[in-house]
Amino acid sequence: MKQFYIHTFGCQMNVYDGQRIAALLQSRGMTQTDNIPDADIIILNTCAVRAKATDKVFSALGRIRTEKKPDALMGIVGCVAREAGADAFRRVPDLNFVLGPQSYHKLPEILENPDTRLLNIDLGGLEKFDEMPQITTSPTLAYIPIQEGCNHCCTYCIVPYTRGREISRPFDDVMRDVIHAANTGAVEICFLGQNVNGYKYTSPDGHIYRLSDLIRATATQDAIKRIRFTSSYPTEMTDDLIDMFRTEPKLLPFLNMPIQSGSPNVLTRMNRSYTLNLYIDIVDKLKRARPDIQISSDFIVGFPDETDSDFEQTMDIAKRIRYINSYSFKYSPRPHTAAALMPNQIPEKIKSQRLYKLDALLNEIQREFNESCIGKNLTCLYEGPDKTGKHAVYRTPYMQQCIVDTNGKDAPQMAEIKITAANKASLRGELLTDKN
């Protein structure tokens, strides 16, 4: 029986894509392996958001070409494939296929014609969702894309080039995926999109569906206990969606809403279409709707022409909002973006210094929030055993990792856990009751 190997880089959208690729190959009688020398087809499922991510892909290809068996097929799918295009074959002559993020359903073509090279980086529509088979067993946490692409065109972002303009999936198609996930093992649904809260689908009869409609319909599935979504754009946080945090208990009190910078000048150059006052007003509305809600964010430091004053404003907004878990990066020029051509690119040394300072602040805020959870009882979802196999790993409603000693008993899927200790990275807890 032939075997396949998949290495997924990057975002949750790529995790979903990897699962569907695996289902496609399994439907053709193949089995998955974690051992490259055993694989008959090797697939790198890639991310191109930062230059470092792209470099990792080509570095991995260099290692794999020395490990794989001579007749194994090897290729890349996803955003790096779209970015590199035919040049990927020049950089790595051993490649057999290069498929963009909306083209991986074309994989059977290379299986049927292994002696040819396959290049398809077209920005199609939603065909891949229709042509790929469903996975047979859903993970406890099921990622479900509801739209592809983005219309905001931030000057630093390559997504509009690699994934195209924004397209929302039909409401009934998304709900079909939700019900399938609920019937095959999922307890938590996470809706995905590059601009997930911009979801807007108009049905043939003229009815407009928004993300709030998907949340409301998903909550009726008894098997689903937790709902969340990522990643959000601030101006798409509409009142109907904010109100869902007040009315729907299955919607977790946690939201990733990237601000990127605390400087109005930098936000303008980034083409982020909101003011600081609007962003703060949205956070205030969310907290009025759900007083226990917590926010996470993304930050970019060292954007072209960012001054010391601009950076200090980023520090100030982090202190004001108190983000409990954030991702921060040095600005990375990407091809096909306006920011890559801007003057006054910041030296790497200054970017590194600013990132170090911001990370220290964000880590301290995260530690303080984790320590504030000590003594609280939180309903958590089982994620799996820890690396030692001696403890269970749970995920809190705020996406914190919580390590629990189950005293040799089976870990319940949902459990009430008393938090007993905390550090920056994780919590420790004591199992109280089974919530299944």
Side-chain angles (χ1 to χ4, degrees), residues 370 373-376 386 388 390-392 396 401-405 417-423 425-431:
N370 285 353
C373 293
I374 296 174
K376 293 181 179 179
D386 69 355
T388 69
K390 297 178 181 179
H391 303 91
T396 77
Q401 187 182 77
C402 184
I403 311 299
V404 176
D405 187 349
I417 293 174
K418 181 176 182 179
I419 308 304
T420 57
N423 56 35
S426 63
L427 308 176
R428 291 274 176 168
E430 177 183 295
L431 202 62

Side-chain angles (χ1 to χ4, degrees), residues 24 97 99 102-112 118 120 122 127-128 131-132:
L24 171 65
F97 56 93
L99 299 173
Q102 294 176 1
S103 304
Y104 61 71
H105 57 291
K106 304 290 187 181
L107 271 170
E109 293 182 22
I110 194 67
L111 296 176
E112 292 161 5
L118 177 62
N120 191 319
D122 294 339
E127 294 87 355
K128 69 177 183 181
E131 296 189 26
M132 300 290 283

Side-chain angles (χ1 to χ4, degrees), residues 188-191 211-212 214-216 218-219 224-230 237 240-255 286 289-290 292-293 397-399:
E188 179 177 324
I189 297 293
C190 180
F191 291 121
L211 177 55
S212 56
L214 287 173
I215 293 169
R216 191 177 297 108
T218 299
I224 303 303
K225 309 299 182 185
R226 310 195 335 170
I227 304 168
R228 57 188 175 95
F229 54 90
T230 192
M237 193 56 64
D240 63 303
L241 184 54
I242 291 172
D243 196 54
M244 292 305 300
F245 285 97
R246 180 181 64 83
T247 61
E248 181 45 63
K250 289 186 178 182
L251 183 61
L252 294 182
F254 175 78
L255 177 68
L286 286 162
R290 184 76 184 262
D292 61 339
I293 198 170
Y398 302 106
M399 295 299 102

Side-chain angles (χ1 to χ4, degrees), residues 302-333:
F303 191 76
D305 206 29
E306 180 188 67
T307 65
D308 288 342
S309 176
D310 291 328
F311 174 69
E312 287 305 320
Q313 291 176 82
T314 295
M315 296 286 286
D316 289 342
I317 197 68
K319 293 172 186 174
R320 176 166 182 168
I321 303 297
R322 310 297 292 177
Y323 299 102
I324 68 163
N325 180 22
S326 294
Y327 301 94
S328 50
F329 307 97
K330 294 183 287 186
Y331 167 70
S332 174

